[in-house]
Amino acid sequence: MNRAMTRGVTSEPAILNAMELATDPELEVRFAESAHQILADLVGGGAALGWVEPPSRDEVAELLGHVVAAVQAGDAALRAAYLDRRLVGLGYWLRYARPTHRPHADLEKIAVDAAAHGRGVGRALTAALVADARETGIEVLTLDARGDNTNALHLYRSLGFTEYGRLSGFVAVGERRYDKVFYMLDLRQQS
């Protein structure tokens, strides 16, 4: 178990991978419900996570089941961030399914509880997922984000991601339109 999870109150998030999460029955049982709460609250507040309306418990459980199955097959990484044994964030990447794209993966979600914003949770999750990608032999890690998500875009740039494209007005949320911004991190160029 991650040492940060067994100590008392801490200001640093403990970042667990899927295997570490599975070794703690108490955390594993609460994970899907806690993840649903974070995602639903963020989307309800307007966060750009791929849903227009907050996802249902079943949608989140199905998504997490898909990600965990991909982790078990070696085609994904999942990370969960805890502060004092309370889930405050999660993120994952999935390897591309197309045979010609298999050396690459897409960072699909980084979600941090609004109460934990500004505490380095998003940075810690993203850095851990980048490290997982590098360790797995992923060559290029990609992501896309809504153009108005300036904090996330700044975080990605600060971790070495570069913009490689933008679709103007591509994301539709009701009558509002946002750019879809594409970022990549070429792990082949890093040691």
Side-chain angles (χ1 to χ4, degrees):
M1 173 55 54
N2 188 312
R3 266 186 356 149
M5 293 294 292
T6 60
R7 292 185 271 159
V9 175
T10 179
S11 62
E12 292 293 317
I15 308 297
L16 304 183
N17 64 32
M19 301 305 287
E20 292 168 324
L21 186 60
T23 64
D24 188 322
E26 179 188 341
L27 294 180
E28 186 179 33
V29 166
R30 294 190 331 239
F31 179 68
E33 180 61 33
S34 298
H36 169 259
Q37 192 64 56
I38 289 170
L39 292 167
D41 288 350
L42 289 170
V43 172
L49 290 168
W51 291 282
V52 174
E53 297 295 325
S56 70
R57 283 179 172 78
D58 289 343
E59 284 178 283
V60 172
E62 183 179 334
L63 171 67
L64 293 174
H66 172 71
V67 172
V68 168
V71 168
Q72 292 167 341
D75 291 332
L78 169 69
R79 290 291 183 149
Y82 286 86
L83 287 171
D84 304 321
R85 295 187 62 80
R86 183 176 69 83
L87 183 70
V88 294
L90 64 143
Y92 66 90
W93 57 255
L94 291 169
R95 188 184 296 271
Y96 282 96
R98 191 181 283 175
T100 56
H101 297 173
R102 295 286 297 156
H104 316 296
D106 195 46
L107 185 61
E108 296 199 8
K109 293 210 187 320
I110 298 288
V112 177
D113 186 342
H117 285 180
R119 298 190 61 184
V121 175
R123 175 173 296 282
L125 279 168
T126 307
L129 289 164
V130 167
D132 292 341
R134 185 176 287 113
E135 184 177 306
T136 304
I138 296 298
E139 293 178 5
V140 178
L141 188 60
T142 61
L143 64 88
D144 63 79
R146 204 167 75 187
D148 68 326
N149 197 349
T150 56
N151 289 337
L153 296 174
H154 174 73
L155 168 65
Y156 300 136
R157 283 191 304 272
S158 75
L159 291 171
F161 285 83
T162 57
E163 183 176 330
Y164 71 91
R166 180 180 291 256
L167 294 172
S168 181
F170 187 82
V171 179
V173 180
E175 295 299 315
R176 294 171 299 198
R177 297 293 183 266
Y178 303 94
D179 289 356
K180 182 174 184 175
V181 184
F182 299 92
Y183 274 57
M184 55 90 67
L185 181 63
D186 191 339
L187 299 172
R188 296 170 296 190
Q189 299 175 353
Q190 301 175 4
S191 56

